[in-house]
Amino acid sequence: MSAQHQTIKASVAVKASRTSRPEIVETVADVIADVRAHGDAALRRWSQKFDDWSPESYRLGPDRIASIVSSVPETVLDDLRFAQKQIRGFAQAQRDSLTDFEVETLPGVFLGQRNIPVGAAGAYVPGGRYPLTASAHMTVLTAKVAGVERVAATTPPDRGAPPPVSVAAMHLAGADEIYVMGGVQAVAALALGTETIDAVDMFAGPGNAYVAEAKRQLFGEVGIDLFAGPTEVVIVADDTADPFVVATDLLSQAEHGPDSPTVLITTSEEVGRRTIAWVDELLPDLPTGGVAGPAWRDHGEVIVVPTLDAAYALADEYASEHVQILTAEPREALHRMRNYGALFLGDKTCVAYGDKVIGTNHVLPTLGAARYTGGLWVGKYLKTVTYQEIRDAGSSARLGEICGRASRTENFEGHARSADVRAARYGSARLDWTDHTFEQS
């Protein structure tokens, strides 16, 4: 950090690690190994232990789903439908931007690209203290828009029963299968398959540290969206920003968890100090203050910088999951910044909109991963694959000669001979490693 930067509130906690605690790694490995070896029996054993939950079937049937959805107030269902309409529309625009194509690169040489959806995807919708209903929109809907045939969604039980709003959200989003099971055992069951649950090809969705570690350990056997860490926000503000708004927006993300970093980078010391004062005033009456308070105390930062250029540069160093721009000209950030999961421009926009209803996906990179990746989107559920076809004999012969030489440069004689065959069959080359000859057509 530059010597010109003034920190008026510093983080006092150790920065979150990209690796899990050893005890979490060990527990997760034990559960995965058990599910791998014993399938449904292991799922039931761990579900009983962790969630006190052992129903006759973890999968909800159509009648049960209909009954649960009918118990949800119509206003809540309307809000779910509204949010899903926004998310579906943006996801569809993303899908429409990805096109298959075929080009002729040499006479009779055709190369093509196709975007093929994975066959089956798992979607995790967290429960417990924060039943992240919106995660159903982000994972299930996005997969269905991508064209995934089978989406299996799961959520933990809530006090011994399926959580109605989460089930409704998964159903309205288009889940083909809905399970009520949580934690590592749910991730393992869907990733590996059991006697009664078919394995998926990809698994997505946020969760606690154990769910995150399960995805990490299973990655390779199954695709995943991201390695997730604590929710993060950086707000870039100039002297036009309203400190009350800044404070409110910081606390909106601090309530995700006691380890959630909340950072203000501002060109105005007055905005910085007044924001701190507003946070101190607002926290005591915030119902989630028991979580947001420790997050702000231990992970909150307020840094004053001399210019907006310096603010954007520092924000890029953080590479935060969410970056909110509260300046006179917020769209400047589109051209000044490169490292963020999602960018929120202007005081009419807030991160909470992105979390819940605006239409972009809220499954985003954390722990600096925004330096090299974006978040969950339609493209994550697609395999971009290529194909090749040569219809012209002369082009095949020419490529055979060049490929033969290139392969021998690398000491790949088998590759070279495969190329030689085409050079001889479709051209005038001779095979000096065999007596076989081709009749020229």
Side-chain angles (χ1 to χ4, degrees):
M1 190 178 296
S2 167
Q4 293 181 296
H5 298 169
Q6 177 190 4
T7 300
I8 57 178
K9 184 191 183 307
S11 170
V12 298
V14 176
K15 189 174 181 180
S17 171
R18 289 184 174 88
T19 58
S20 300
R21 299 195 305 272
E23 65 272 20
I24 293 178
V25 174
E26 182 178 359
T27 298
V28 168
D30 288 345
V31 175
I32 290 174
D34 197 13
V35 173
R36 189 189 302 278
H38 301 109
D40 285 334
L43 169 62
R44 189 165 297 281
R45 182 163 47 250
W46 292 104
S47 182
Q48 180 67 48
K49 177 177 180 178
F50 291 140
D51 292 330
D52 193 23
W53 177 245
S54 184
E56 183 178 341
S57 173
Y58 289 97
R59 181 175 176 180
L60 299 179
D63 292 344
R64 187 76 191 283
I65 292 171
S67 175
I68 291 171
V69 173
S70 69
S71 73
V72 178
E74 194 61 34
T75 53
V76 175
L77 295 177
D78 285 344
D79 288 344
L80 291 176
R81 293 185 184 105
F82 174 86
Q84 291 186 357
K85 182 178 180 181
Q86 313 316 306
I87 292 148
R88 184 181 291 106
F90 188 74
Q92 188 61 57
Q94 289 182 321
R95 182 63 185 92
D96 292 344
S97 74
L98 299 170
T99 58
D100 297 352
F101 66 83
E102 184 176 275
V103 293
E104 187 175 8
T105 58
L106 292 168
V109 178
F110 295 90
L111 308 182
Q113 173 177 295
R114 296 186 64 211
N115 295 288
I116 302 174
V118 300
Y124 193 86
V125 179
R129 180 177 62 194
Y130 295 124
L132 292 182
T133 304
S135 290
H137 319 332
M138 308 300 176
T139 54
V140 178
L141 253 179
T142 306
K144 295 308 290 185
V145 171
V148 178
E149 277 190 23
R150 171 181 167 245
V151 178
T154 188
T155 192
D158 180 19
R159 291 164 290 188
V165 178
S166 295
V167 171
M170 293 187 287
H171 173 66
L172 294 174
D176 300 288
E177 301 166 16
I178 296 178
Y179 296 89
V180 180
M181 54 187 189
V184 178
Q185 63 274 16
V187 180
L190 283 168
L192 301 173
T194 70
E195 298 92 326
T196 60
I197 300 172
D198 291 334
V200 298
D201 303 310
M202 178 180 167
F203 196 91
N208 63 19
Y210 289 88
V211 169
E213 177 59 25
K215 289 165 64 178
R216 184 191 302 274
Q217 290 190 23
L218 288 162
F219 177 56
E221 290 185 78
V222 66
I224 65 169
D225 48 356
L226 297 164
F227 294 121
T231 293
E232 308 162 343
V233 65
V234 166
I235 295 180
V236 175
D238 63 13
D239 58 2
T240 68
D242 183 335
F244 174 79
V245 173
V246 177
T248 302
D249 289 349
L250 287 170
L251 290 176
S252 79
Q253 298 306 295
E255 73 177 359
H256 275 280
D259 53 355
S260 289
T262 49
V263 179
L264 169 61
I265 302 171
T266 179
T267 57
S268 167
E269 183 175 348
E270 181 183 4
V271 168
R273 295 196 181 280
R274 288 179 60 200
T275 295
I276 294 172
W278 269 117
V279 169
D280 293 340
E281 183 170 334
L282 293 170
L283 257 174
D285 293 329
L286 184 66
T288 52
V291 174
W296 173 249
R297 180 193 66 216
D298 298 339
H299 299 274
E301 297 179 63
V302 178
I303 303 163
V304 180
V305 296
T307 65
L308 273 177
D309 282 345
Y312 294 136
L314 182 57
D316 260 350
E317 290 181 25
Y318 277 88
S320 179
E321 176 185 17
H322 307 102
V323 176
Q324 190 169 354
I325 308 297
L326 299 177
T327 64
E329 299 292 339
R331 290 185 68 85
E332 286 184 355
L334 286 172
H335 311 290
R336 302 288 187 89
M337 291 191 63
R338 70 169 68 237
N339 298 335
Y340 51 84
L343 200 58
F344 299 82
L345 304 175
D347 63 4
K348 296 182 182 67
T349 318
C350 62
V351 177
Y353 286 177
D355 284 342
K356 309 298 180 186
V357 298
I358 202 168
T360 48
N361 206 293
H362 77 192
V363 180
L364 298 167
T366 58
L367 300 174
R371 292 178 295 106
Y372 59 82
T373 187
L376 181 62
W377 70 298
V378 160
K380 287 277 188 178
Y381 294 99
L382 298 171
K383 300 173 292 181
T384 301
V385 297
T386 60
Y387 63 90
Q388 308 81 33
E389 180 185 12
I390 300 177
R391 303 175 196 166
D392 180 85
S395 289
S396 183
R398 180 186 176 196
L399 287 170
E401 292 178 7
I402 297 170
C403 183
R405 292 195 297 269
S407 298
R408 289 188 172 92
T409 298
E410 298 176 348
N411 297 322
F412 276 88
E413 183 61 24
H415 285 64
R417 292 183 179 188
S418 182
D420 291 348
V421 166
R422 274 75 188 178
R425 184 172 187 178
Y426 298 113
S428 58
R430 302 174 69 87
L431 301 178
D432 59 8
W433 43 269
T434 180
D435 293 334
H436 184 82
T437 58
F438 293 103
E439 291 184 10
Q440 299 300 316
S441 57

